[in-house]
Amino acid sequence: MTITADTADRAPVLPRAALHPSLSQPLLDTMNFLNEVTLRYPQAISFAPGRPYEAGFDVADVPALIETYLDHLRERGLSEERVRTALYQYGETAGQIRDLVADMLRVDEDMAVDPGSVVVTVGCQEAVLLTLRALFTGPDDVLLVDSPCYVGVTGAAGLLGIDVVPVPGTAHGPSLDGLDRVVRELTEQGRRAKALYVVPDCSNPTGVSMSVEDRTALLARARRLGLLLLEDNPYGVFSTVRRPTLKALDTGRSVIYLGSFAKTAFPGARVGFVVADQPVESADSGAPGLLADELAKVKSMVTVNTSSLSQAAVAGLLLRAGGGLRAANEPVARHYQATMRALRDTLARELPPGETESAGVRWNDPDGGFFLTLDVPFPADEAALRRSAQTYGVIWTPMRYFHLDGAGDHRIRLSCSGVTVDQAVDGAVRLARFVKDRAKEDGRA
Amino acid sequence: MTITADTADRAPVLPRAALHPSLSQPLLDTMNFLNEVTLRYPQAISFAPGRPYEAGFDVADVPALIETYLDHLRERGLSEERVRTALYQYGETAGQIRDLVADMLRVDEDMAVDPGSVVVTVGCQEAVLLTLRALFTGPDDVLLVDSPCYVGVTGAAGLLGIDVVPVPGTAHGPSLDGLDRVVRELTEQGRRAKALYVVPDCSNPTGVSMSVEDRTALLARARRLGLLLLEDNPYGVFSTVRRPTLKALDTGRSVIYLGSFAKTAFPGARVGFVVADQPVESADSGAPGLLADELAKVKSMVTVNTSSLSQAAVAGLLLRAGGGLRAANEPVARHYQATMRALRDTLARELPPGETESAGVRWNDPDGGFFLTLDVPFPADEAALRRSAQTYGVIWTPMRYFHLDGAGDHRIRLSCSGVTVDQAVDGAVRLARFVKDRAKEDGRA
């Protein structure tokens, strides 16, 4: 066949069946829908996005951050040539700033972490992907998630063809009885629950935090079940209550710790990390290596290494703040606490518990972080969201987007991270009007 | 069970069978071996790494590059707040600098590319991963590669469980007869050859370039076979002969174009891209979308978006250079040409064709780029490499690392990109001594 002008641009349309099934996940369309609503109603106040508050960020400061890191390298005795190489060349797959990440975890979280167990990643999303790829070997390996669950985890699992099974969550974290039951059922089917993904501090999407007792109990249970715990902690720094991480309590190396700089530094840098100190049988029957080394191998086939500019900027923030980022984030943590308080106080004023609680309107009281859960007496679906945005000027996320089991239909995720206090008040007034009007139509309030 | 100090740190060692099989690929160990040799013999001259020459890079210039991009945004009318958001926040999944990438392809490669068909990625490696994930649906879908093949492609395929089948390469590109045969055999097995990966310009690892006639013939053949072509072009800018890319010749949207800024800007930025203008059936039976949109969906589950700092630095280079990077890279292209010439001339002097050709010593004559192929009359294996490094002070890469079919045993990949002209001469002298000594032992020269 000769290619002629006749055949030009008559390209065959790829049928969806020719693409990986994960690309037809309804999840992706729901995210598109949310973006579309946000773009369509730019005047609406949005409690939807989980993006951090950027007012404290100064663009002009970026060169100084990078310079701070380069000076740090010079102080450590690197020649100008090696400093150039550090910024210019392909870098170590596991990251250039592993030691600074370990320092941060010591300062901010009292965690004793060997830099050799750290892999610096392109955001926490890559850390999730690397961990899932390394640990899941075939169709019989199953990922458990505390349900409802952050969509990045179920999305990454979908790409890798990993089955995800939800463990019912409570107002205090995953249900241990539910965990036992799910693991037992999988075992009976000849399958393996390999790991449980959990966000113990100010969870996305619910805002729930686990108590120290519940953390200890979960660790013990996981160990008994032979289950690894994937602890994701992007919001701990913004909690009003400081509790030890699962990893800090972990004496049996049951926990793989996933970290993010998207909220404590800035999302545009795309820097996250994973701590994986689990011993792994060596390929050549030598001494065991670390799971981190295996994750680095996966990374070499995903992104090769993390941007040296991004690592330098994050390192500059760490160095300038004296090692940790918790103290430096106090002002922004207070901001999130203030917007969440404004949202809750306004909801309490506009939706007085005595009047609306019996109708099924209630919300939780997170210790901080970005998110809270609002229960409503009507389906919080796309039609409701569209109407809320169009008629009331307020946007939120249907909680069922985060459920794998069809639950969460009457729940809403509210994010306080992207609004000012005034917007939080104004948005809560609008939201309360919408909830009251909508509930009234059903004769429920 | 209670966790006590007794059980502390008695972590179970994960057996290798508990990890994904791709982590036990021999490929990864060979790469480790190469790194180990390089670290162990730091005085050796290395023709192994494919890293670009960094002498032209000025660390102090990085802030100015970022500033150039931010000024460009200001000139386009963005407020300071939106400029801050562009650097600080999560960005568009498909990239912030798609328009600048499309401009570059027009200037440098005479390619007419819609910015909407571009996805900016974390290096070309992520572009490969996204493309493979989107296009390969199950165990019956097979990736063909021009053999020998860049290890990043076979590695990414391994992570995703995609079978790779080599198509024999010639001194002029992939064999069309070989391609026909491989596709026919797969079809007879009930499998589908979905795409062929090829590097038409100054290929890694061989240095081979395809003629324009061979490109046109490959395009026609791919179209007849219903095969997509994955064209990877990191070295075209460094060729002494300028030929149209496959994508520039592609009138039937058969080509997915993979690009890298690692060699034309700098590797530390980790910026690459993919052009995927193939129409794709829409999920909701609307107008067809583009494959690029699907790749962006995959990306949202891999790295969310590419570092805004890295995109800004690359954009700064593009803007400063007037849109393209070919002209700006002329000095470094001349450097690579000079080191390759020095290497070839020295080999010709030290291993005169009349004396050594009959013994099987010969090398090819690439049009430029980083790599050339050296044939030797003995197994170019790890023992040979170790001895070459230790006794002769010269390092190279066994070509068989790039073969899936056990071939390439008597071949060496030589890279000219990481050496000066003096080092190229000195290294070639050492290499010639090693080759002569080693060949003599077998009584072959």
Side-chain angles (χ1 to χ4, degrees):
Chain A
M1 174 179 145
T2 314
I3 295 177
T4 66
D6 269 336
T7 57
D9 259 359
R10 293 219 201 126
V13 176
L14 287 169
R16 293 211 70 80
L19 301 178
H20 193 257
S22 64
L23 290 169
S24 299
Q25 290 177 81
L27 175 69
L28 291 164
D29 294 319
T30 59
M31 289 296 125
N32 280 347
F33 174 77
L34 203 55
N35 290 338
E36 183 205 309
V37 168
T38 305
L39 285 173
R40 194 154 163 189
Y41 304 103
Q43 302 308 319
I45 292 173
S46 182
F47 294 122
R51 39 169 59 190
Y53 189 60
E54 66 192 75
F57 182 79
D58 185 357
V59 160
D61 197 28
V62 169
L65 291 175
I66 295 174
E67 200 54 37
T68 300
Y69 175 62
L70 298 181
D71 282 343
H72 164 77
L73 295 182
R74 291 176 184 120
E75 280 159 26
R76 283 172 54 192
L78 264 69
S79 66
E80 274 311 304
E81 200 183 319
R82 287 191 58 198
V83 169
R84 181 178 64 190
T85 298
L87 209 61
Y88 176 89
Q89 278 294 4
Y90 294 104
E92 219 191 322
T93 304
Q96 299 172 255
I97 61 167
R98 306 163 91 184
D99 53 340
L100 296 174
V101 172
D103 282 351
M104 176 189 76
L105 292 172
R106 183 177 46 73
V107 172
D108 283 346
E109 306 291 351
D110 280 327
M111 284 163 62
V113 162
D114 184 320
S117 67
V118 175
V119 179
V120 181
T121 54
V122 181
C124 189
Q125 186 63 34
E126 193 195 23
V128 168
L129 187 91
L130 304 181
T131 305
L132 294 183
R133 177 62 307 162
L135 291 176
F136 290 76
T137 61
D140 288 338
D141 288 351
V142 175
L143 172 67
L144 307 183
V145 298
D146 183 21
S147 180
C149 174
Y150 169 56
V151 294
V153 172
T154 40
L159 280 188
L160 299 173
I162 297 169
D163 274 354
V164 180
V165 171
V167 172
T170 71
H172 318 282
S175 150
L176 294 191
D177 288 349
L179 180 60
D180 275 347
R181 184 173 44 74
V182 167
V183 171
R184 195 173 52 241
E185 284 169 6
L186 288 168
T187 308
E188 283 165 10
Q189 296 164 20
R191 310 185 76 191
R192 272 181 305 268
K194 287 204 87 165
L196 169 68
Y197 172 84
V198 61
V199 185
D201 289 276
C202 308
S203 174
N204 180 7
T206 60
V208 167
S209 292
M210 294 175 68
S211 70
V212 179
E213 294 68 31
D214 286 345
R215 289 169 200 235
T216 311
L218 177 62
L219 275 164
R221 193 66 59 101
R223 203 155 176 191
R224 207 181 68 197
L225 295 170
L227 200 63
L228 288 165
L229 296 175
L230 310 184
E231 176 181 31
D232 190 1
N233 187 18
Y235 308 107
V237 159
F238 306 111
S239 180
T240 54
V241 187
R242 186 162 169 184
R243 302 182 182 89
T245 64
L246 285 174
K247 187 67 191 159
L249 297 167
D250 174 32
T251 55
R253 306 204 192 185
S254 297
V255 179
I256 295 169
Y257 184 86
L258 302 160
S260 173
F261 286 101
K263 278 79 186 181
T264 51
F266 61 108
R270 308 304 313 123
V271 182
F273 62 92
V274 49
V275 179
D277 59 1
Q278 287 68 28
V280 170
E281 184 186 3
S282 105
D284 54 4
S285 64
L290 288 181
L291 182 58
D293 305 328
E294 305 294 323
L295 299 183
K297 287 186 200 171
V298 181
K299 182 171 169 71
S300 72
M301 303 300 171
V302 176
T303 60
V304 182
N305 58 257
T306 302
S307 159
S308 59
L309 290 179
S310 293
Q311 291 189 76
V314 166
L317 281 167
L318 287 166
L319 291 162
R320 186 190 284 182
L325 289 176
R326 187 181 282 273
N329 270 284
E330 261 173 31
V332 72
R334 278 197 298 272
H335 169 78
Y336 298 138
Q337 288 150 21
T339 55
M340 192 178 284
R341 201 179 318 112
L343 171 60
R344 294 187 76 256
D345 290 353
T346 308
L347 288 178
R349 192 184 69 212
E350 302 289 321
L351 297 166
E355 289 173 35
T356 54
E357 214 167 5
S358 60
V361 179
R362 64 183 72 84
W363 51 92
N364 66 348
D365 186 11
D367 292 328
F370 285 19
F371 305 106
L372 60 80
T373 303
L374 171 67
D375 290 353
V376 291
F378 52 82
D381 56 13
E382 297 187 353
L385 172 56
R386 196 182 289 278
R387 186 170 157 202
S388 174
Q390 185 168 8
T391 309
Y392 297 85
V394 61
I395 296 174
W396 36 266
T397 310
M399 189 65 86
R400 59 184 190 155
Y401 286 2
F402 304 98
H403 280 273
L404 292 162
D405 49 6
D409 199 39
H410 287 64
R411 290 195 144 170
I412 279 171
R413 184 190 81 168
L414 296 174
S415 167
C416 304
S417 66
V419 289
T420 62
V421 169
D422 286 350
Q423 287 168 332
V425 171
D426 194 7
V429 169
R430 299 176 187 198
L431 181 63
R433 269 189 52 220
F434 168 66
V435 169
K436 276 192 287 193
D437 288 356
R438 182 65 191 75
K440 238 180 250 162
E441 287 165 15
D442 291 346
R444 306 279 290 274
Chain B
M1 173 181 145
T2 316
I3 295 176
T4 67
D6 269 336
T7 56
D9 259 357
R10 292 219 201 129
V13 175
L14 287 168
R16 293 211 69 81
L19 301 178
H20 193 257
S22 64
L23 290 168
S24 300
Q25 291 176 83
L27 175 68
L28 291 163
D29 294 318
T30 58
M31 288 298 125
N32 281 346
F33 173 78
L34 202 56
N35 290 337
E36 182 205 311
V37 167
T38 305
L39 286 172
R40 193 153 165 190
Y41 304 102
Q43 302 308 319
I45 291 172
S46 182
F47 294 121
R51 39 168 58 191
Y53 188 61
E54 69 191 74
F57 183 78
D58 186 357
V59 161
D61 196 28
V62 169
L65 291 175
I66 295 174
E67 199 54 37
T68 299
Y69 175 62
L70 298 182
D71 282 342
H72 164 76
L73 295 182
R74 291 175 185 122
E75 280 159 26
R76 282 172 54 193
L78 265 67
S79 65
E80 274 310 304
E81 200 183 318
R82 287 190 60 197
V83 169
R84 181 179 65 190
T85 298
L87 209 60
Y88 176 89
Q89 279 294 4
Y90 295 104
E92 218 191 324
T93 303
Q96 300 172 255
I97 62 168
R98 305 162 92 185
D99 53 341
L100 296 175
V101 172
D103 282 351
M104 175 188 78
L105 292 171
R106 183 177 46 74
V107 173
D108 283 348
E109 305 292 350
D110 279 328
M111 283 162 64
V113 162
D114 184 322
S117 67
V118 174
V119 179
V120 180
T121 54
V122 181
C124 189
Q125 186 64 33
E126 192 194 23
V128 168
L129 187 91
L130 303 182
T131 305
L132 294 183
R133 177 62 309 163
L135 291 177
F136 290 75
T137 61
D140 288 338
D141 286 352
V142 175
L143 172 67
L144 307 183
V145 297
D146 183 21
S147 179
C149 175
Y150 170 54
V151 293
V153 172
T154 41
L159 279 189
L160 299 173
I162 297 169
D163 273 355
V164 180
V165 171
V167 171
T170 70
H172 318 284
S175 150
L176 293 191
D177 289 348
L179 179 61
D180 275 346
R181 184 174 42 74
V182 167
V183 171
R184 195 172 55 240
E185 284 169 7
L186 287 168
T187 307
E188 283 165 10
Q189 294 163 21
R191 309 186 76 191
R192 272 181 304 269
K194 287 205 87 165
L196 168 68
Y197 172 84
V198 61
V199 186
D201 289 277
C202 307
S203 176
N204 180 6
T206 60
V208 167
S209 293
M210 292 174 70
S211 70
V212 179
E213 294 68 33
D214 286 344
R215 290 169 199 233
T216 310
L218 176 62
L219 275 164
R221 192 67 59 98
R223 204 155 175 192
R224 207 182 68 198
L225 295 170
L227 199 63
L228 288 164
L229 296 175
L230 310 184
E231 175 181 32
D232 190 2
N233 187 19
Y235 308 106
V237 159
F238 308 111
S239 180
T240 54
V241 186
R242 186 162 170 186
R243 301 182 182 89
T245 64
L246 285 175
K247 186 67 191 159
L249 297 168
D250 173 31
T251 55
R253 307 208 194 183
S254 298
V255 179
I256 295 169
Y257 185 85
L258 303 160
S260 172
F261 287 101
K263 278 79 185 181
T264 51
F266 61 108
R270 308 304 312 126
V271 182
F273 62 93
V274 49
V275 179
D277 59 1
Q278 286 68 28
V280 170
E281 184 188 1
S282 106
D284 55 4
S285 64
L290 288 183
L291 183 57
D293 304 328
E294 306 294 322
L295 299 183
K297 288 187 199 171
V298 180
K299 182 171 170 69
S300 72
M301 304 300 171
V302 176
T303 59
V304 182
N305 58 256
T306 301
S307 159
S308 59
L309 290 178
S310 293
Q311 290 189 75
V314 166
L317 281 166
L318 286 166
L319 290 162
R320 186 190 285 181
L325 289 176
R326 187 180 283 271
N329 270 284
E330 260 174 30
V332 71
R334 277 197 298 271
H335 170 78
Y336 297 137
Q337 287 151 20
T339 56
M340 192 177 283
R341 200 179 318 113
L343 170 60
R344 294 187 77 254
D345 289 353
T346 309
L347 287 178
R349 193 185 69 213
E350 302 290 320
L351 296 167
E355 288 174 36
T356 54
E357 212 166 7
S358 60
V361 180
R362 64 182 72 83
W363 52 92
N364 65 348
D365 185 10
D367 292 328
F370 285 18
F371 307 106
L372 60 80
T373 303
L374 172 67
D375 290 354
V376 292
F378 52 83
D381 56 14
E382 298 187 352
L385 172 55
R386 196 181 290 279
R387 184 170 159 202
S388 174
Q390 184 169 6
T391 310
Y392 297 85
V394 61
I395 296 175
W396 36 267
T397 310
M399 190 63 87
R400 58 183 192 158
Y401 286 3
F402 305 98
H403 280 272
L404 291 163
D405 49 7
D409 199 40
H410 287 63
R411 289 194 147 173
I412 280 171
R413 184 190 80 168
L414 296 174
S415 167
C416 304
S417 66
V419 290
T420 62
V421 168
D422 285 351
Q423 287 169 333
V425 171
D426 195 5
V429 169
R430 299 176 187 197
L431 181 62
R433 267 188 54 219
F434 168 67
V435 169
K436 277 191 288 193
D437 288 358
R438 181 66 192 76
K440 239 180 248 163
E441 288 166 16
D442 291 346
R444 306 279 290 273

